[in-house]
Amino acid sequence: MTYSLQLYTLRTALGEDLPGTIRRVADLGYTAVEPYNFVATADELAEALTANGLSAPSGHAPLLRADQDEIFEAARKLGIGTVIDPHVERSHWTTDEDIRATAEALNAAARKGAGYGITVGYHNHEFELEERIGDTSALEVLAGYLDPEVVLEVDTYWAAVGGEDPAELLRRLGDRVRFIHIKDGPLTRNDKEQVAVGSGSMRVREVLDAAPGLEAAVVELDDFDGDIFTAIADSLAYLNGGTK
């Protein structure tokens, strides 16, 4: 299993010192990262990743709201194989018609991405699981409309906050899921209550066991009330040796 780090976790540090922050990530033992909104920093970030031997198998970018060619060019520069749209507003998940429209937009983005050798995916929050079409979560309705080439990155924490058993969700979605976000905390909507992986309420090992064929499991803390570098170091140490 490859463990990656969503760089949004370190957004403050990156804004102050991008090269130094990437070096610290590598020094902690991470071998992969997941950049976000990477178009503006692609050159500097590519240099830092290369200098520190880090790969970027996936990255987040607003594919459905920004220039896709610009995003794919930057992704190719960074060696990103899968570009994941991280957010479609909750208002777009309440009807089958709206969900189908989102799927069609992602399918079109995937066709364009294929020309760059890049796969397209989507990342959930809690509301795609809370919203239902009949007895089916909006995220699973989306999956039914996606072309086979489009993948999912399941944020397992937000899936749990949204009322799903994340391991069961992963098993239902199967090979569609190529990446997951691993985070921990008390399963509330308050980002600041998130904690290092392995020290909260998530059944992390059960989640990982439910999706054995992943390209990467991505550590993320949306926010944290403490030293963020300690938290990401503790998260990786747990993943490399924990039993929870």
Side-chain angles (χ1 to χ4, degrees):
M1 175 73 68
T2 296
Y3 296 120
S4 182
L5 175 68
Q6 167 54 247
L7 291 180
Y8 181 77
T9 304
L10 299 176
R11 58 196 177 277
T12 300
L14 285 165
E16 295 169 352
D17 179 8
L18 187 150
T21 299
I22 296 299
R23 184 170 58 252
R24 288 185 72 179
V25 170
D27 287 347
L28 290 175
Y30 284 91
T31 60
V33 296
E34 185 176 73
Y36 72 100
N37 285 351
F38 47 78
V39 170
T41 59
D43 290 335
E44 186 180 16
L45 185 56
E47 184 177 346
L49 295 182
T50 299
N52 291 283
L54 291 171
S55 66
S58 58
H60 280 196
L63 281 170
L64 305 189
R65 306 180 300 284
D67 186 312
Q68 291 178 2
D69 289 296
E70 189 177 41
I71 289 169
F72 290 134
E73 287 282 8
R76 191 157 58 180
K77 184 177 295 183
L78 290 162
I80 293 171
T82 301
V83 174
I84 298 163
D85 192 295
H87 186 261
V88 171
E89 293 290 341
R90 182 172 195 144
S91 60
H92 293 269
W93 297 93
T94 59
T95 70
D96 185 87
E97 181 181 15
D98 283 345
I99 296 168
R100 184 194 288 263
T102 295
E104 289 173 352
L106 288 166
N107 291 339
R111 290 191 289 273
K112 183 182 284 287
Y116 291 86
I118 291 171
T119 300
V120 162
Y122 182 74
H123 160 278
N124 65 279
H125 291 81
E126 80 284 357
F127 49 80
E128 295 95 335
L129 288 311
E130 290 174 334
E131 297 290 350
R132 318 291 290 188
I133 304 298
D135 294 328
T136 306
S137 73
L139 183 66
E140 291 170 274
V141 173
L142 175 78
Y145 287 133
L146 292 175
D147 289 342
E149 296 77 18
V150 183
V151 304
L152 293 176
E153 177 179 63
V154 172
D155 189 308
T156 59
Y157 187 82
W158 289 124
V161 172
E164 288 285 347
D165 179 322
E168 288 296 328
L169 176 65
L170 290 172
R171 282 190 278 268
R172 291 200 303 271
L173 290 170
D175 292 342
R176 174 77 71 177
V177 182
R178 303 308 305 158
F179 301 88
I180 61 174
H181 272 192
I182 292 290
K183 59 183 71 166
D184 213 338
L187 303 179
T188 68
R189 296 174 193 270
N190 186 347
D191 292 356
K192 288 186 179 296
E193 293 183 341
Q194 292 176 16
V195 297
V197 174
S199 56
S201 298
M202 285 289 290
R203 298 192 303 275
V204 176
R205 288 293 165 202
E206 184 179 326
V207 166
L208 292 171
D209 289 344
L214 297 173
E215 291 186 41
V218 185
V219 171
E220 182 183 39
L221 287 88
D222 295 297
D223 210 337
F224 182 65
D225 187 16
D227 184 276
I228 191 62
F229 285 97
T230 299
I232 64 172
D234 290 347
S235 296
L236 185 61
Y238 167 76
L239 290 169
N240 282 330
T243 57
K244 179 180 170 185

